[in-house]
Amino acid sequence: MSAVAESIAIPDTRLMADALRMLAIDAVEAAKSGHPGMPLGMADIAVALWERHLKHNPRNPAWPDRDRFVLSNGHGSMLLYGLLHLTGYDLPVDELKRFRQLHSRTPGHPEAGVTHGVETTTGPLGQGLANAVGMALAEALLAREFNRPGHAIVDHRTYVFAGDGCLMEGISHEAASLAGTLKLDKLTVLYDDNGISIDGHVAQWFNDDTPARFAAYGWHVVRDVDGHDVDAVDRALQDARAAARPTLICCRTVIGKGAPAKAGTHDVHGAPLGAEEIANTRRALGWPHPPFAIPADVRALWDASERGTTAEADWRRRFEAYREHYPHEAAEFERRTQGALPAHWRDTVRAMLRDADSAAQTVATRKASQQTIAVLARALPELLGGSADLTGSNLTSWPAAVDIHADSTGLQGGNYLHYGVREFGMSAAINGIALHRGHLAFGGTFLTFSDYSRNALRMAALMKTRSIFVFTHDSIGLGEDGPTHQSVEHAASLRLIPGLDVWRPCDTVETARAWASAIERDGPTCLLLSRQNLPFVTRGSDQIDAMERGAYVLRDWPDASAATPMRSRVVLIATGSEVALALDALAPLADAGIAARVVSMPSTSVFDRQPETWRDAVLPPGVPRVAIEAGVRAFWRQYVGLEGGVVGIDTFGESAPAAALFEHFRLTTQAVMDEARRVTACASRVI
């Protein structure tokens, strides 16, 4: 022990907790920015979990059977960074000193892919908890699929730190209710019940009986645990391990524990303590060491490298025994947890596109999606579908799907989950499933309800998760349900999220291509699908190959031998149900001496990533353009320019049959022709 520890006989657990406290204080002070209150308050809870229960290996953060730790109250990021640093992850002290600085590995909130050991990006409160539900679900399903008697190769737990803010957010209700219903017994949430948020004492605006709420969800609840008593938290964690349901451990804590003047106040929540309070805290804790200095004996108490390496080595020995008895299952487990697609994947895609083309069906793209899913499910055992209580409308299930449910014995396996009316919770859980690895998860709802999911979609894009979001009823084409359900701005707004691919296919073949691209991508994808039937479009093999580029020439300009001389040219750009309008305008425009090229652009983001040579070949510079989509016009100006034309809709919809709505809002072939004439006439005058 250090000299200080010897002189005042500080217990090892106290030394460990105080090391976390001081790293957080020093890093926040160095940055002049951050949230020291939660790390100070939850340090003892962290000691109990990380030193006595958490199964992890700092030398291999991606070990498949590690426990998952999620800091849902991500503003307290320095607690996690301190834990990673002290336990032996690749996070040197210099990175702690660069907390919240440009390009450091210690950003203001934890970010997956930036810092080794960070399982998910957190900060938007409640989403970490919902991610964890997805992780726990993924573990339970993989265990049922791969474990065999005497060979438990999937056996890990998911732990969450959460605060009052996480539990005030509505997504916590969605996620916790689902977890309780599914009896996810390896999920444990440690609730930092400190009674403080940014505005002050939460009793004025958050007076829920939180334990009763979680008990009503079907959780096992451990009440009134002293969050500053490591042994008490340890006992609660042992209790959780024996429960047949998810567990909430309610830990009473003092925010800013150890800071003499600011502990227990909102002043310590989100601001540095300041030099004077830091000095007083050092004296109060009996911690005389300079900033960022951790005595060697305290580091030794925390170092988990040897313990983690031993745990992983034991698992790998057991996995090799499993491989000897079940070689196919072992190879499949490795493939799936590595995120690799089957060796025959490209053949599957080619056959799927060929079959969709030869079938030549006129169906809604939601139906085309269902047909595609059925094919994919046979090729991809990792496919895990679901819907937010709209299975029959989204058509996200398929004939061979097996519903996931829980009975008196616990969760029963399957590959399709009815998420209930929980769009936000579903989307965040899908992100958690993707982060866990082992499944390709998708979930469906109506496009207009993507607003409920939007922040989870943004987080998927930020984390680059392979999450797939199916949104049907994509426009006024859904008809009589009216403007509350008719998407107008949604396609454009989703396309504005960096890193999110959005596909709006026009028929069965484009739908199959969109699905294939979503599965192949290391990042999230939204599929926007129609309720109404869309006509099948004939195309050549070169055009089918070109679909994966996001936009391609579906019909080219008439050649020079056309009967009617062409006085001008125009490019018609369309997506989804409006591709048919562009195609229908070709002949009448040609009769009027206007040569039109139809470009189908099912994915603007994919097209934008193509080389300039491809983009110019599809959309030749200098040729007037008209974009056609049943959505807001402004988005399309980047493709048609200020001089180009857009046929769209800039108001909310109406309640009426779909055909009447397209006429009413002038989403018609005639409107396309009128815009084409206008832009070509303007171009001629300029010339």
Side-chain angles (χ1 to χ4, degrees):
M1 277 198 175
S2 67
V4 171
E6 290 176 341
S7 65
I8 59 176
I10 299 176
D12 287 351
T13 54
R14 164 74 185 280
L15 286 171
M16 296 171 75
D18 286 349
L20 286 174
R21 290 186 172 102
M22 295 314 304
L23 285 176
I25 288 172
D26 293 337
V28 171
E29 181 67 17
K32 303 301 180 186
S33 172
H35 298 74
M38 186 280 264
L40 290 168
M42 293 197 78
D44 302 295
I45 301 171
V47 172
L49 175 61
W50 281 65
E51 198 270 331
R52 299 185 183 180
H53 291 269
L54 194 70
K55 181 178 68 174
H56 64 119
N57 184 6
R59 293 174 179 167
N60 182 13
W63 167 31
D65 202 42
R66 69 194 182 279
D67 289 342
R68 270 54 169 188
F69 174 75
V70 174
L71 191 77
S72 190
N73 44 355
H75 55 272
S77 58
M78 264 312 303
L79 178 67
L80 179 52
Y81 298 146
L83 286 163
L84 296 173
H85 170 70
L86 291 171
T87 55
Y89 286 80
D90 181 19
L91 192 66
V93 70
D94 285 347
E95 291 294 336
L96 304 190
K97 294 177 180 178
R98 298 199 321 117
F99 178 53
R100 293 189 162 214
Q101 304 308 300
L102 185 64
H103 300 150
S104 77
R105 282 187 276 158
T106 50
H109 291 78
E111 294 186 31
V114 172
T115 313
H116 294 300
V118 172
E119 299 285 0
T120 181
T121 302
T122 55
L125 293 175
Q127 282 198 64
L129 195 160
N131 294 161
V133 171
M135 293 174 185
L137 174 62
E139 189 277 344
L141 293 174
L142 286 171
R144 291 195 64 86
E145 184 176 356
F146 286 99
N147 287 354
R148 298 292 184 272
H151 297 277
I153 63 165
V154 182
D155 185 16
H156 54 268
R157 307 184 70 85
T158 302
Y159 295 100
V160 183
F161 280 7
D164 289 308
C166 294
L167 301 188
M168 280 188 261
E169 290 285 0
I171 190 174
S172 72
H173 163 79
E174 297 183 26
S177 174
L178 180 64
T181 301
L182 296 177
K183 299 183 178 178
L184 299 178
D185 59 314
K186 290 183 179 177
L187 174 64
T188 300
V189 175
L190 294 116
Y191 166 35
D192 180 27
D193 184 9
N194 61 37
I196 295 290
S197 66
I198 293 175
D199 281 358
H201 292 276
V202 301
Q204 299 177 61
W205 50 83
F206 181 53
N207 200 23
D208 298 11
D209 186 342
T210 297
R213 173 157 70 108
F214 275 76
Y217 295 144
W219 286 54
H220 172 62
V221 178
V222 185
R223 299 168 180 255
D224 297 323
V225 175
D226 182 350
H228 301 301
D229 183 338
V230 172
D231 293 331
V233 177
D234 177 29
R235 289 191 295 271
L237 287 165
Q238 293 179 43
D239 188 8
R241 297 180 76 88
R245 298 171 287 165
T247 297
L248 177 74
I249 301 174
C250 301
C251 301
R252 294 282 185 179
T253 63
V254 176
I255 191 171
K257 173 75 171 177
K262 295 187 177 182
T265 74
H266 70 279
D267 295 331
V268 75
H269 181 281
L273 296 185
E276 181 179 353
E277 183 73 353
I278 290 174
N280 292 337
T281 303
R282 276 186 156 80
R283 283 192 290 272
L285 297 179
W287 188 270
H289 313 291
F292 298 103
I294 305 296
D297 55 342
V298 178
R299 285 190 177 277
L301 292 171
W302 268 116
D303 191 0
S305 299
E306 292 300 327
R307 183 170 72 244
T309 299
T310 299
E312 181 179 353
D314 175 67
W315 177 83
R316 294 201 177 276
R317 283 192 295 271
R318 290 186 285 111
F319 186 78
E320 289 308 314
Y322 176 85
R323 189 197 304 276
E324 184 176 342
H325 288 85
Y326 306 102
H328 171 75
E329 288 81 357
E332 185 69 1
F333 178 81
E334 288 180 320
R335 177 187 72 80
R336 286 171 53 172
T337 55
Q338 291 166 6
L341 292 171
H344 55 74
W345 170 248
R346 296 304 299 176
D347 293 336
T348 298
V349 173
R350 282 191 290 269
M352 186 170 66
L353 293 171
R354 183 184 63 245
D355 292 346
D357 185 56
S358 61
Q361 290 180 302
T362 291
V363 295
T365 50
R366 63 171 176 164
K367 181 63 177 177
S369 171
Q370 184 183 48
Q371 294 168 345
T372 302
I373 292 169
V375 175
L376 294 172
R378 292 193 292 270
L380 299 168
E382 60 264 46
L383 204 64
L384 177 59
S387 172
D389 202 50
L390 289 168
T391 295
S393 294
N394 298 148
L395 302 184
T396 40
S397 188
W398 62 99
V402 177
D403 286 350
I404 298 165
H405 67 284
D407 60 21
S408 59
T409 64
L411 183 76
Q412 302 304 306
N415 55 9
Y416 191 84
L417 181 58
H418 297 273
Y419 283 94
V421 188
R422 300 183 179 102
E423 294 90 350
F424 194 5
M426 174 184 71
S427 300
I430 286 171
N431 291 343
I433 294 168
L435 289 162
H436 182 280
R437 288 185 176 265
H439 292 93
L440 277 169
F442 68 90
T445 187
F446 290 168
L447 178 55
T448 191
F449 300 150
S450 65
D451 287 338
Y452 287 142
S453 301
R454 187 176 180 87
N455 203 261
L457 305 184
R458 183 178 188 272
M459 296 300 287
L462 183 62
M463 294 187 285
K464 302 179 177 66
T465 59
R466 192 186 287 180
S467 306
I468 302 174
F469 306 101
V470 177
F471 296 121
T472 68
H473 296 58
D474 69 345
S475 73
I476 60 170
L478 68 88
E480 291 84 348
D481 273 344
T484 61
H485 284 51
Q486 293 166 2
S487 295
V488 175
E489 76 279 17
H490 297 82
S493 69
L494 291 175
R495 291 173 182 139
L496 295 177
I497 298 177
L500 181 66
D501 275 2
V502 178
W503 287 79
R504 188 169 183 252
C506 75
D507 70 350
T508 54
V509 184
E510 284 193 1
T511 302
R513 178 66 260 173
W515 264 107
S517 294
I519 286 169
E520 292 166 355
R521 183 169 192 251
D522 287 328
T525 301
C526 294
L527 306 178
L528 315 188
L529 308 172
S530 73
R531 175 184 184 269
Q532 73 274 28
N533 288 346
L534 304 185
F536 174 76
V537 179
T538 59
R539 51 175 72 78
S541 59
D542 289 346
Q543 291 170 309
I544 293 175
D545 291 341
M547 285 179 190
E548 65 181 347
R549 292 178 175 267
Y552 62 102
V553 177
L554 187 58
R555 296 288 184 271
D556 213 348
W557 292 297
D559 59 34
S561 63
T564 304
M566 298 294 111
R567 298 188 303 275
S568 56
R569 298 194 302 173
V570 67
V571 177
L572 305 179
I573 309 167
T575 79
S577 51
E578 287 68 67
V579 168
L581 298 180
L583 293 173
D584 288 346
L586 284 176
L589 285 174
D591 290 343
I594 300 174
R597 165 186 280 188
V598 173
V599 169
S600 179
M601 191 179 286
S603 180
T604 60
S605 51
V606 174
F607 176 70
D608 291 345
R609 292 197 296 270
Q610 301 307 307
E612 183 179 6
T613 51
W614 178 265
R615 288 183 278 120
D616 286 349
V618 173
L619 301 177
V623 179
R625 304 168 187 174
V626 175
I628 311 109
E629 184 174 64
V632 292
R633 294 177 172 90
F635 173 84
W636 290 100
R637 288 294 166 195
Q638 62 190 304
Y639 298 100
V640 303
L642 296 177
E643 301 81 13
V646 182
V647 176
I649 174 172
D650 287 327
T651 68
F652 293 114
E654 296 281 353
S655 296
L661 291 172
F662 276 91
E663 285 291 335
H664 174 74
F665 289 109
R666 294 204 73 241
L667 286 159
T668 62
T669 300
Q670 185 60 55
V672 174
M673 294 166 55
D674 291 345
E675 276 298 287
R677 291 191 185 98
R678 185 187 67 79
V679 299
T680 54
C682 290
S684 298
R685 285 197 295 273
V686 170
I687 293 171

